[in-house]
Amino acid sequence: MKIVLDAMGSDEHPAPDVEGAVLAAREYKETIILVGDEARIKAELVKHKTDGLSIEVVHASQAVAMTDKPGTVGRGKPDSSMHVGMRLVKEGGADAFVTMGNTGAALAIATLHVLRRISGVYRPALSAILRLQERSMILLDIGANADCKPEWMAQFALMGSLYAEHALKNNKPRVGLLSNGEEAGKGSALVQETAELLLTGGVNFIGNVEPKEVLKGGVDVAVMDGFSGNVMLKTMEAFGSALFGLIRQELMADSRSKLAGLLAKPAFRRVYRQVDPFEIGGAPLLGVDGVVIIGHGRSNGIAVKNAIRQARNAVNGRIVPAIRQGLSTNAQAAVADGFGEQG
Amino acid sequence: MKIVLDAMGSDEHPAPDVEGAVLAAREYKETIILVGDEARIKAELVKHKTDGLSIEVVHASQAVAMTDKPGTVGRGKPDSSMHVGMRLVKEGGADAFVTMGNTGAALAIATLHVLRRISGVYRPALSAILRLQERSMILLDIGANADCKPEWMAQFALMGSLYAEHALKNNKPRVGLLSNGEEAGKGSALVQETAELLLTGGVNFIGNVEPKEVLKGGVDVAVMDGFSGNVMLKTMEAFGSALFGLIRQELMADSRSKLAGLLAKPAFRRVYRQVDPFEIGGAPLLGVDGVVIIGHGRSNGIAVKNAIRQARNAVNGRIVPAIRQGLSTNAQAAVADGFGEQG
């Protein structure tokens, strides 16, 4: 298997990206193709032991910045590491593309310019993967589509369910629909119409769920519109970091608390590992015609390695053929809505 | 000032409700009117020292259950403690109504059956109050309206801003609009149209904000539609309790961690106090023609007392006249949309 890694992705690129590539090549014994500024990548690579590892470098003359606008970068930087890397996947030279870079840009370049949608997909969805009690679950959409239609949401449910089954190895994944109250009949008009579509089959729909149910691991797939999904994910990040900040502050307040903090370090490390997004590394952009995994900009080498593991699971699970197959047998495919044809 | 407390509200009613009433009467020297099953209230009251306190009891023959449907309870239980209590406010016999009971029922009974909307209000909004770094902020709508229109959201902003100014004593409150990205032009169609309305004045609009900004205290009023507001609030509750659960578990894992946990108790108590919703006690239902404060069903006596304090602040801040005045000078009033006239 060959996995392309965008070496220009993370906030501190290319150091964490190259480190992650080396770690992944060593642990997974796959070929990692680093795409980006060749000189800078090679200057990083010499800092690592790479004997016997399968690491290739492909040059790209441009790089997408975190501040680049998704709407303009697709045409504006046609030789960016994202373009070059995704083209390798498109043309069969690699199996997956992984980036820690600008999410909106990766979404636009994948969807509109290079990989395009799998035939029949209304809209690709960004996902997040949470790991709770040794079980992985997928949330989608978490931000690609601020305004959704019920039939898009039903497709998110199908794609997420296939990902949970094929890449996360959850048997008969339970699909829940995020709502403000669990009773049928509650929820926005969008939720109510989506729930009706989900009841007609294709996925193992267990009903509407509130955030509590999702965070308890009561579902394997949590379906949501990109606006409230984004709010949910960012609330977790912000609240978690605020809470850890508060705990750190109070454990510094006096000598008794300081001693407690010192003794509690291993316990806190165990807690942190269970909520650390870097343990997952990245999550798939579902619905595009190729495996694309997007991670956090502030990733370290371990997070990059874990994102590459996610890509490997997706490739091994043959997620793209599974979605193509799933769309045709579930009659949920978009016939022709003109989206994405302008790229 | 006379504040009505629904004695049949909390999950464990009437014990926590009566205890909270006694604590409030003692601390704030106001008259508390307990409404509900007179015999049960009196049986509770004798357990407390009430000498010199101004506590009255008004009988109501019915009580709203947590499982009652908001849509039927308004007409179905016309002599519930919520109806009787709100009627006291409506008829001038009291200044505010406080309940720990069924939120949906309180919303329906207030809006459609007893108090009705302040003239010109499109839709009342449920709010939550957070206290961050010694400063209170208000979030609304957190669940009354799953599907919102831009002009309703603009009114939420105005009502929230007036509450922040008059009841929470924030001078020139900063109003933020919850979005998936802070840049203007990001966000759902609803967010974009609402932002345009907010820019035309009436409130101190500082722009779109993400959950991180809200939780940092970067705004005094966070405006959101009831669906994503509900998701945000419930995500905080669920994530906070999951995180505390995880910490508790890991601090029990071995003897070193157990010792740490023991020593850290006061520090954790300080942390908890800062994120404890019971410290706030309750939050206003804004837009109805009377002060209504709604708290958690699982409130204890302290939480009930704090909810009564919130009611007192709202009455002292003259929030209902302030909203009436604000709507007329800001030309944001609903002229006639037929809502709420059927009750």
Side-chain angles (χ1 to χ4, degrees), chain A residues 233-312:
Chain A
L233 205 79
K234 286 183 173 162
T235 299
M236 282 194 279
E237 289 176 1
F239 194 66
S241 101
L243 213 50
F244 276 119
L246 212 52
I247 291 170
R248 207 175 299 124
Q249 173 192 309
E250 293 301 340
L251 285 176
M252 294 297 289
D254 52 56
S255 48
R256 173 185 169 150
S257 303
K258 277 181 192 163
L259 176 59
L262 212 62
L263 290 168
K265 268 206 172 132
F268 274 111
R269 223 172 287 133
R270 293 193 299 271
V271 169
Y272 197 72
R273 204 177 307 134
Q274 291 173 72
V275 293
D276 181 9
F278 290 178
E279 280 290 312
I280 302 295
L285 169 62
L286 286 176
V288 294
D289 198 356
V291 172
V292 174
I293 303 290
I294 305 175
H296 266 271
R298 55 188 167 79
S299 290
N300 57 18
I302 303 284
V304 173
K305 185 203 76 172
N306 290 338
I308 292 173
R309 182 188 61 207
Q310 195 65 242
R312 187 170 176 249

Side-chain angles (χ1 to χ4, degrees), chain B residues 152-236:
Chain B
W152 305 1
M153 304 267 285
Q155 261 193 0
F156 300 163
L158 180 65
M159 295 193 297
S161 188
L162 291 166
Y163 196 85
E165 187 182 341
H166 293 269
L168 306 177
K169 302 295 174 197
N170 291 335
N171 191 31
K172 208 175 178 231
R174 299 157 300 165
V175 176
L177 178 62
L178 185 69
S179 183
N180 59 336
E182 301 193 352
E183 308 86 343
K186 264 215 150 189
S188 58
L190 175 63
V191 163
Q192 294 187 35
E193 287 170 42
T194 303
E196 271 181 49
L197 292 178
L198 293 180
L199 284 169
T200 64
V203 298
N204 175 24
F205 180 48
I206 64 157
N208 296 356
V209 291
E210 297 193 55
K212 188 172 57 181
E213 200 59 28
V214 174
L215 294 177
K216 265 186 192 162
V219 295
D220 301 303
V221 183
V223 177
M224 46 197 74
D225 67 275
F227 188 87
S228 46
N230 198 265
V231 166
M232 180 170 174
L233 204 78
K234 286 183 174 163
T235 298
M236 282 194 278

